[in-house]
Amino acid sequence: MSLSSSETKELASGKIGRLLFRYSWPALVAMALNSFYTVVDRAFIGHGCGVDAMAGLQLAMPVVMFLTAFGPLIGVGHASVLSIKLGAGDRIACEKLVGETVALKIAFYAVLIPLLYVFIDPLLALCGAGEVTPGAAAAAKSYLQIVLFSHIFSHLAFGLSALHRAEGGAIRSMMCMIVGFGANIVLDPILIFGFGLGVAGAAWATNVAMLLSCLWAFSYYWTGRSVVRLRLRRIWIYPQLLARTLSIGLAPFLQQLMSAVIIASLQIAFTKWMPDEDARTAEIASLGVFSSALILVIMPILGCQQGLQPIFGYNWGARNFRRVLETLKTGFLVTTVLCVLAFVVQVLPPFPTWLARLFVDNANEDLVALCAHDLALSNCMIWTISINVVATTYFQSIGKPVVAIVLSLLRQGLVLLPIIWFLPHFLDDKPFAIWLSMPVSDVLCQLATLLPLLLHARFLSRVRSR
């Protein structure tokens, strides 16, 4: 198939709004389903296994997020460069990018996963497992021991689906995640309740789902229908491509890595400031509800990010700066609307309570109330984050990794992390201070992002008129 297929041609000439919708909604579905493994697990566990199991699943999340962070380091960087190389018409480089994605995924996870098994106990201790109830700590270890080994399949599926989307196959990318999610949602109740496996059942359901997603992702290349072929002789590591792809993927990698650090820090903060094991376990269970609810409402925003990436990348590679600027404006408008909607459903009554009830047994009214309060407080400024979201996506997509990395780390690494430890020393209500750190960091981050985004928009306005 030619590199100038109808799908890639449309990136150069189609209407921006239509393209954004076309590439965003499949990306949204794909990412949502990939993330919903944990959300569905939490929903079933929260309604059938109790607070200890909920807290245990959350305690394991920083380790899972650490492992997950290596996925975009390879997948996102290679997909971004693939879009640019497609725009430039370089077939050989495109085939090498696909082959290198597979080679790097296998190499990274063949080393990383065994290391996590060796250090599983100290890693959980760092996440606060030693300060909660024994049931919560046991549930966290049980989940991790089962689910870790299958992550190599998950990340192969994630990387290949990103490449599908970069070459114009947004629907095909989405299908990779639909297959896995469908298996997970069917197997979860069977293994958790039918076989009485609890948290272990959720882990085994995830393992099977990840394997099926991986097989589906590879099947696209096996049929020979792809724009870019996956050839056995191309499955290798190419130094001339590696530095650029990893530098672009470094931004989302560090962002997700810092997310793991932030979640671990929040858990440690709760274990430090709460008075007893039960109170610590309840707040960590609430943090699990917060994380799950955030996935539900943030996915449209992340889907928009993924939809913007091939449009930015292709037209930047083709030097069509007029379309790059138009895409930037459209992306900002759409993302702002989505951020406002995320604010509404997490902050304005009665939505926080409804969200909490998705993950907490209705009989536990105290935990429902705690989760609803924490949701509203922590997300009260989420409507401001569109500036940073669009800027990070833009600079990442056009091959400006340093700027993207700095912007992606602003909210978490450079702003939120210090505030988590700063505020509780000055406020009497310690849980309130910990949750308040998130909206404070939201505001500060957006203010810091404005200048580089406006400067580059000015640059695009100048070059498009030449």
Side-chain angles (χ1 to χ4, degrees):
M1 186 178 293
S2 170
L3 289 178
S4 59
S5 68
S6 60
E7 290 175 327
T8 53
K9 281 183 178 179
E10 191 173 5
L11 288 169
S13 58
K15 291 185 177 180
I16 298 297
R18 184 179 301 169
L19 280 174
L20 179 56
F21 177 77
R22 176 182 171 184
Y23 284 98
S24 292
W25 79 262
L28 162 63
V29 174
M31 286 191 307
L33 296 183
N34 191 43
S35 300
F36 282 1
Y37 288 116
T38 303
V39 173
V40 171
D41 289 348
R42 282 183 175 136
F44 282 117
I45 288 171
H47 283 278
C49 301
V51 177
D52 279 354
M54 290 175 62
L57 195 60
Q58 176 57 36
L59 283 168
M61 282 305 104
V63 180
V64 174
M65 292 169 69
F66 167 77
L67 187 58
T68 302
F70 289 89
L73 176 65
I74 302 168
V76 170
H78 283 72
S80 296
V81 176
L82 182 63
S83 292
I84 295 172
K85 294 298 183 182
L86 280 168
D90 190 342
R91 174 182 294 277
I92 299 301
C94 290
E95 291 183 355
K96 287 181 176 179
L97 285 164
V98 174
E100 186 174 71
T101 299
V102 175
L104 283 174
K105 291 284 187 182
I106 294 173
F108 265 69
Y109 290 99
V111 173
L112 191 58
I113 292 173
L115 283 176
L116 291 178
Y117 273 110
V118 171
F119 295 103
I120 191 169
D121 287 323
L123 285 171
L124 283 173
L126 286 175
C127 297
E131 304 297 329
V132 296
T133 59
K141 185 172 181 179
S142 173
Y143 182 81
L144 276 182
Q145 284 177 324
I146 297 169
V147 83
L148 280 180
F149 82 90
S150 65
H151 269 262
I152 190 169
F153 304 123
S154 173
H155 294 293
L156 279 167
F158 177 88
L160 292 176
S161 68
L163 297 178
H164 297 176
R165 186 170 54 251
E167 69 171 43
I171 301 296
R172 293 187 294 271
S173 174
M174 176 185 69
M175 286 302 300
C176 294
M177 299 303 109
I178 288 179
V179 169
F181 178 74
N184 189 64
I185 201 170
V186 170
L187 290 173
D188 254 344
I190 294 174
L191 298 179
I192 293 173
F193 304 121
F195 286 87
L197 296 178
V199 171
W204 280 114
T206 299
N207 287 351
V208 175
M210 288 178 176
L211 175 60
L212 292 176
S213 286
C214 180
L215 293 175
W216 186 274
F218 272 109
S219 70
Y220 172 56
Y221 293 101
W222 296 335
T223 61
R225 292 177 293 134
S226 57
V227 175
V228 182
R229 300 294 299 275
L230 171 59
R231 304 181 189 275
L232 287 176
R233 68 176 186 271
R234 303 288 191 201
I235 299 178
W236 198 249
I237 297 173
Y238 302 94
Q240 69 273 26
L241 294 174
L242 186 62
R244 187 178 186 188
T245 55
L246 293 185
S247 65
I248 295 173
L250 192 60
F253 163 73
L254 291 176
Q255 190 175 29
Q256 291 202 29
L257 182 63
M258 191 55 64
S259 295
V261 173
I262 290 298
I263 293 298
S265 297
L266 288 168
Q267 292 174 182
I268 295 170
F270 286 128
T271 61
K272 173 180 173 61
W273 295 108
M274 301 306 293
D276 54 56
E277 285 184 350
D278 290 336
R280 295 166 195 156
T281 303
E283 282 292 355
I284 290 175
S286 179
L287 181 61
V289 173
F290 160 81
S291 300
S292 298
L294 186 61
I295 289 173
L296 292 175
V297 300
I298 208 73
M299 278 301 129
I301 299 171
L302 299 181
C304 184
Q305 278 187 287
Q306 295 298 313
L308 287 169
Q309 182 269 320
I311 309 173
F312 279 140
Y314 186 93
N315 287 287
W316 183 269
R319 317 307 288 172
N320 191 345
F321 297 114
R322 182 182 298 274
R323 282 180 64 78
V324 173
L325 180 60
E326 184 182 351
T327 303
L328 186 62
K329 293 177 179 178
T330 303
F332 176 72
L333 176 62
V334 173
T335 304
T336 298
V337 172
L338 294 175
C339 288
V340 172
L341 291 175
F343 165 82
V344 170
V345 300
Q346 291 183 111
V347 176
L348 300 185
F351 298 114
T353 301
W354 292 354
L355 282 173
R357 291 189 189 280
L358 291 176
F359 305 98
V360 182
D361 194 316
N362 291 334
N364 196 339
E365 288 294 337
D366 290 341
L367 185 58
V368 169
L370 175 67
C371 293
H373 171 270
D374 294 342
L375 275 175
L377 175 59
S378 58
N379 290 291
C380 64
M381 297 304 295
I382 196 173
W383 56 273
T384 68
I385 70 171
S386 59
I387 300 169
N388 184 264
V389 168
V390 173
T392 302
T393 305
Y394 169 70
F395 288 112
Q396 172 187 307
S397 301
I398 66 171
K400 304 287 184 182
V402 175
V403 181
I405 290 169
V406 172
L407 294 180
S408 69
L409 294 180
L410 269 178
R411 179 174 180 263
Q412 297 175 333
L414 303 180
V415 180
L416 178 56
L417 191 58
I419 295 175
I420 290 172
W421 298 106
F422 175 80
L423 282 181
H425 290 283
F426 296 92
L427 297 176
D428 292 332
D429 190 336
K430 306 305 182 183
F432 175 84
I434 295 169
W435 288 108
L436 183 64
S437 62
M438 285 183 262
V440 171
S441 70
D442 285 341
V443 174
L444 295 176
C445 174
Q446 307 323 304
L447 293 175
T449 305
L450 271 175
L451 181 60
L453 183 62
L454 290 176
L455 288 175
H456 222 267
R458 183 182 180 187
F459 161 76
L460 292 174
S461 297
R462 287 179 175 177
V463 296
R464 73 169 185 167
S465 60
R466 293 178 184 175

